[in-house]
Amino acid sequence: AVDCGIKYNIIRYLVHEGKVHLKVVPWDYDFNKDEYDGLFISNGPGDPTMAQKTIDNLRIAINKENPKPIFGICLGNQLLALAAGAKTYKMKFGNRGMNQPVID
């Protein structure tokens, strides 16, 4: 799990309920040099563009010949999107579930 501000409950759930062998690394850790079965990019506070090292590492991971599964939650999903070339922006009222923008 790449720790971008991960909540302990996520770690606890993955280890105890999901029976996952979990290695938690800091947001700027180069996980591409490690062997792993999948990546979890955590939630966290702030502007996703401030985590450029994570974005760069994710870009390498998703462009591998046989990429591993990657799951991002909240900020982690935004980082994954930026690594894939998408753009993100701050919503006027934040994400409260009922104001999910849909672009056709």
Side-chain angles (χ1 to χ4, degrees), residues 71-88:
F71 176 76
I73 184 169
C74 300
L75 177 70
N77 193 48
Q78 293 177 47
L79 295 171
L80 191 53
L82 290 168
K87 304 240 185 290
T88 62

Side-chain angles (χ1 to χ4, degrees), residues 29-51:
Y29 181 82
D30 183 4
F31 46 80
N32 290 299
K33 60 186 177 187
D34 294 345
E35 288 290 321
Y36 56 86
D37 295 324
L39 283 173
F40 175 82
I41 315 302
S42 82
N43 54 331
D47 180 357
T49 61
M50 299 301 288

Side-chain angles (χ1 to χ4, degrees), residues 86-102:
K87 304 240 185 290
T88 62
Y89 61 91
K90 184 171 178 67
M91 295 174 65
K92 183 177 178 182
F93 298 109
N95 177 1
R96 300 292 180 257
M98 66 283 209
N99 61 344
Q100 295 287 329
V102 177

